[in-house]
Amino acid sequence: MVHTKKISLAIAALAGMMSFTSAAQAADAHAAPTPERQSWSFGGPFGKFDQAQLQRGFKVYREVCANCHSMSRVAIRTLGQEGGPEFSEAQVKALAAEYKVKDGPNESGEMFERAGRASDRFPAPFPNPEAARSALGAVPPDLSVIAKARSYSRGFPMFLLDAVIQYQEHGVDYIYALLNGYTDKNDPNWNEYFPGHKIGMAKPIDNGQVEYSDGSPATTQQYARDVSAFLMWAAEPALEQRKKTGLRVMIFLILLAGLVYFTKKKIWALR
């Protein structure tokens, strides 16, 4: 009886180990790979946005992404600000006028539509989340700060190294990888980099879908790169100013430290 009981326990333990291994293998099968780190013009302490790239990225956003996604925290006028796409004032006004914005109430107490102004924020493609869910089956996330809201873990010790090398482009790298992650031709919703690999957004863009006027390649990879950079700018339009300010502060602190050091030496030399 004791021998039989030991055999039963061994079989149960083996079954448990096999079950755990199967679960781990299943989890690994659904685990998303780590996005590859990209090289961006705005990376590093001296980085700055590529104006032409931002203009192309806005074109991709407007012709593709804006059909489903809102960008409600971004004002149209920022397209003309320094450090961004830097469209001319006339271009910004013309772009704004192409949008229809709900406003009001008027003198009769009714809401009405008018042409957009530069001071308006980008209007949403759906009037409310329920309408978006009814049309698409899900509510697409707002893209205003998506490049900052999305990220991934690089694990130990890379997350420590990131602070040293000032790697802050996790979100934009993830967006770029996600847009290029539709690798299953038989399933438009299968994405290599999305957790679980099943994403509600079918492949949004393909080669030749957006026409560039500057001769840049009309490929999925180029579209993904340009719109990812644009979304990074939308999430942090003052990035260039922040880096310039940070550089000035560092120079000031270094000079201050030098002055304090030599002042200390002078004072103690007199004693």
Side-chain angles (χ1 to χ4, degrees):
M1 285 293 291
V2 174
H3 184 66
T4 304
K5 186 175 182 179
K6 288 183 178 180
I7 293 176
S8 300
L9 290 172
I11 292 174
L14 181 60
M17 290 177 62
M18 292 178 65
S19 176
F20 177 80
T21 302
S22 299
Q25 290 175 343
D28 289 340
H30 291 283
T34 300
E36 183 178 350
R37 184 183 175 188
Q38 302 296 314
S39 175
W40 302 98
S41 65
F42 48 82
F46 308 107
K48 58 189 302 184
F49 288 113
D50 181 335
Q51 180 183 330
Q53 183 176 54
L54 294 185
Q55 292 187 3
R56 293 194 304 269
F58 172 68
K59 185 176 177 65
V60 176
Y61 164 76
R62 190 181 180 202
E63 295 185 12
V64 180
C65 309
N67 293 322
C68 300
H69 294 272
S70 61
M71 199 161 64
S72 59
R73 292 183 175 88
V74 181
I76 300 173
R77 60 178 169 76
T78 57
L79 293 173
Q81 290 182 353
E82 183 181 356
E86 295 190 29
F87 290 111
S88 68
E89 184 178 351
Q91 287 176 311
V92 172
K93 287 182 178 179
L95 284 168
E98 293 178 12
Y99 290 100
K100 294 296 182 183
V101 177
K102 195 170 185 179
D103 203 349
N106 58 18
E107 294 178 355
S108 302
E110 298 176 347
M111 303 299 288
F112 61 93
E113 278 193 346
R114 59 166 174 80
R117 306 186 189 111
S119 57
D120 291 323
R121 298 177 186 271
F122 285 97
F126 298 98
N128 50 63
E130 289 72 23
R133 186 177 290 107
S134 176
L136 304 174
V139 181
D142 185 275
L143 298 183
S144 302
V145 294
I146 196 74
K148 289 290 188 179
R150 295 293 183 270
S151 186
Y152 61 92
S153 174
R154 299 231 295 166
F156 181 83
M158 294 306 295
F159 77 90
L160 296 176
L161 181 63
D162 289 346
V164 178
I165 63 176
Q166 298 188 30
Y167 173 44
Q168 302 174 345
E169 292 77 49
H170 300 77
V172 69
D173 283 347
Y174 174 75
I175 294 171
Y176 175 77
L178 188 78
L179 292 173
N180 285 295
Y182 294 89
T183 55
D184 189 341
K185 296 181 179 180
N186 298 318
D187 187 351
N189 291 85
W190 194 94
N191 192 287
E192 182 179 0
Y193 291 95
F194 189 77
H197 300 308
K198 294 294 289 186
I199 186 171
M201 176 179 69
K203 186 177 182 181
I205 198 165
D206 212 337
N207 296 335
Q209 192 169 338
V210 177
E211 184 178 349
Y212 284 153
S213 58
D214 63 356
S216 296
T219 63
T220 302
Q221 290 75 19
Q222 188 66 49
Y223 297 149
R225 190 167 191 82
D226 293 341
V227 77
S228 296
F230 173 75
L231 293 175
M232 181 64 182
W233 167 81
E236 194 173 1
L239 179 141
E240 290 187 16
Q241 288 81 356
R242 174 176 64 80
K243 291 187 176 184
K244 289 177 182 177
T245 301
L247 179 61
R248 295 190 188 104
V249 169
M250 290 302 298
I251 293 173
F252 169 77
L253 291 175
I254 291 171
L255 292 175
L256 179 62
L259 289 172
V260 170
Y261 172 74
F262 287 111
T263 300
K264 172 184 173 295
K265 285 192 66 176
K266 185 69 174 177
I267 293 173
W268 283 95
L270 298 174
R271 294 190 177 186

